[in-house]
Amino acid sequence: MSPSSLDDIIQNSKKIQRKSEVSKSVPVKIDHTFGYSADYLRDYAGYDEDQVALYQSSYKNTLKLVEENKLKAHLEQFMKLFGECASERDVDNRNPDLVIYDLPSTMTVIFLGLAFFANCITHLASRLNSNAALRGFINALIPNSLPPHINYTPSSLYRMEAMFADSANVDEQDNNEDLYEFWQQVRLKPSIEDGTRTSYQATHGFLKGHTITSAKPFMDTYGGDGQELRASYMDVDGSPKKHFTSCSVYNCTRRLLADLRVKDKKNQERSAFKEIIETYDALQGNVFMADALNTEAELYNMMQEKNIELILPVKANPSGKASYKLVKKIYNSVDVANCNGYQRFESDTNVYGNRAEKVIVEAIPVTDLEGIIAKNPAAFLDVNTNAFNKFNKVRTIIKKTKFTTIIGNKYSVETLNMKNKKSDTGEVHYYISSIELDEHGFKQILISLNEYWLCEQAHNTADTVIGQDYIASCVKSNTIIRVNFSRLIVDMLNIYKSKYNSNVKRKSHMLSYTSCRNLLADKLSARIECLCMFFEMMFYEKRDTPK
């Protein structure tokens, strides 16, 4: 994002905020050591003695932990991204009869609230009204933000969100490009030291327990995914209501969101990915994967021109039907194991709850295609043997077979037999890829196939743990803000969860995403540690990676 563009957003947010300020006549009543006074809390927040004690205890404990690190300075940097600097807020007088919302600190409060305490702004407003410990935590981190009060309204919090969207959305064509550029500036990025890896040790998926090494560095795997936001809708020009869709590109290797777009129609993932690859240069030289809806020649060729390697599934849908029929025929009509370039990997049997899974990955180079057809020409009479010609540089054809067996005593013998009817044939997926099938290339294919599911996991976490699916908005710019907040929170949970679990010896003590968020909501020291790790990565001085 260009500095002038970011400055425009900040200056616009300042202008809008000045217009929205309420005249103030009573000085702010907060002591930076002890927080708001007991009289203030009783008179203007409706706190009883127990709530006053809880507020003051939370404030003092938070302040003590914050003073031991750089968190406060990083919070100031974070707030500056949304508008005026903290020094300008410090000289403001506050009217305790009113709830004062200033844009930068309120956006930061919304982020903190959604990260640890609430799944929506309405829930956050309720918690701000009723939870004294939350108020103490917020005021210790950001002293002059949202004084404790008896009536925080969701509409006012929504209004501040809308104000920021207005300050960023200066494009006359209403395509929200400035808003997208702003979030690209805020989003976490891996440091420059993370640019190479010659070893991969799998802790999940079908490669779990395997270590794969190579003399060449492995590429990162990026996953493209689209998800309807079911509580959102559009009803422009009297048309039927339609859900917004979040289309994201996720760095599965680093477990960080790369970029996203919000679309107001279904099945717009391809157009979103085309927009992202035009601006997100870090995709170049890495692997991109998505679902079969995106196996389309125009997108494939566009990414190849950008030096992006691809592994895309082919199914019997309109865009991939010819390729699917050809790949399926190749693997079903000929003994491909006798082909010169054939490569195969068989995983261990891994148990997940009541499921036992084993995966076999097979691959052959496209250069063997002519010889394969020559061995059994009659089998290929009803398929288009030139189906790959519309794709630029399809080099490898992949077959992945997953065998799943239901085990344990949860089901009766009859039910187990019924569920395991297809356990011998397995679930088959076919892919085409631009990756050259040599020893290193096959290892890269295995790693990317193993990593890709983390894209789906991140989307599911945003949906089920953070509540992204319940974003109720009919305004696209507001939806963009909330989706970016939710995905930023998922990245933050990933950072803390990964570090926590790396120090745990017993599997039963490891954190899931839900238990991680619950821990952070309940334990102040963990919350502060998580925020410190998050902002250290956000404001890491040496992260000179491509935008």
Side-chain angles (χ1 to χ4, degrees), residues 83-95:
E84 69 175 46
C85 65
S87 60
E88 295 175 16
R89 288 200 316 278
D90 287 342
V91 298
D92 287 346
N93 292 325
R94 304 288 178 175
N95 184 341

Side-chain angles (χ1 to χ4, degrees), residues 166-179 181:
D166 289 342
S167 71
N169 188 23
V170 295
D171 195 296
E172 293 180 358
Q173 296 181 353
D174 193 31
N175 59 11
N176 297 289
E177 276 306 310
D178 286 310
L179 200 52
E181 288 181 18

Side-chain angles (χ1 to χ4, degrees), residues 278-297:
E278 287 292 343
T279 58
Y280 193 76
D281 297 337
L283 270 171
Q284 297 182 20
N286 289 302
V287 179
F288 178 83
M289 296 185 66
D291 59 27
L293 177 68
N294 300 287
T295 306
E296 180 247 3

